[in-house]
Amino acid sequence: MAPGNVSSVTEFILLGLTQQPELQLPLFYIFLGTYVVTMVGNVGLVILIGLNPHLHTPMYYFLFNLSFVDLCYSSVITPKMLMTFVNRNIISHAECMAQLYFFSFFVIDECFILTSMAYDRYVAICKPLLYKVSMSHQVCLMLTVGAYVMGLVGAVAHTGCMLRLSFCDGNIINHYMCDIPPLLQLSCTSTYINELVVFIVVGISLIVPSLTISISYALILSSVLRIRSTEGRSKAFSTCSSHITVVSLFFGSSAFMYLKPFPAGSLDEEKVSTVFYTIVGPMMNPFIYSLRNKDVQMALSKTLRKRVIS
């Protein structure tokens, strides 16, 4: 094995989502529209939460961070993806490693922010009298800082291990971004350590949050079923339905992508799976959390009214 990164490859070619010429232009406009909607939705939610004091609660604090993370990691992926539809997209080795780092950082952040949101709902429904103490500003800050620290550690581990590999068997990445599985297939040195790091980091980032969220919702369900009034049960379920939808979309597609031996499965299947949590998820999240949320609707109406009057 080479002692360091003695890669003879200085740049990679991203094949993109599809190689069919007749699909390139339609997909370009579809994903361009998706990116614009993602930007507008997440930036709008960040601004809305920031401008309205009555949304400065733990639930919206975490939603603010979720929208910020969605905004960032969508911007890390989508612009390069759009370029693969219109020309031969070449990315340097350094740019590829930078994209891998920031992608890993923001995706792991999202895992733990979603977990913090589940814990917030658990405390709100199961321990309402202790809510202000259990979800104080200090606790929310610690949970958020913890999420970003986990993202930093995971991103450094993935990128550091990738930098030690040599790429000399080719430079064509069968993907629309620099992700771990397609890069490992290009390596001409042993990828055992990389695969071990993937299972450890991804296991911690997916399995631990998934178990925490599942336990939280099992306790929430048990508590809700003890509520006698139908209206009370309906209100409790409505506060959790949006989060459950987002969690299912994100963790389901992520687990399909990473929690399996390399190189099991085709990269074409993996590319489609990746689209769900890198492109579709960040676009849908603002709408999932706002369409049935009366607080967000009221804040939006109030903010628009102020703008019109002024």
Side-chain angles (χ1 to χ4, degrees), residues 85-115:
F85 292 124
V86 293
N87 58 26
R88 194 178 185 213
N89 191 10
I90 297 175
I91 184 170
S92 70
H93 183 274
E95 288 176 325
C96 186
M97 294 302 107
Q99 187 186 57
L100 174 64
Y101 172 82
F102 285 109
F103 170 68
S104 302
F105 177 71
F106 290 120
V107 167
I108 295 172
D109 286 347
E110 178 134 345
C111 291
F112 288 97
I113 289 172
L114 288 171
T115 307

Side-chain angles (χ1 to χ4, degrees), residues 50-70:
L51 291 178
N52 289 272
H54 78 277
L55 295 182
H56 295 175
T57 62
M59 182 173 77
Y60 294 106
Y61 172 77
F62 292 124
L63 183 54
F64 177 95
N65 281 277
L66 180 68
S67 292
F68 172 73
V69 168
D70 281 342

Side-chain angles (χ1 to χ4, degrees), residues 241-259:
S241 58
S242 298
H243 185 253
I244 292 172
T245 303
V246 171
V247 165
S248 300
L249 177 64
F250 181 80
F251 282 97
S253 54
S254 300
F256 175 82
M257 181 70 182
Y258 295 105
L259 292 182

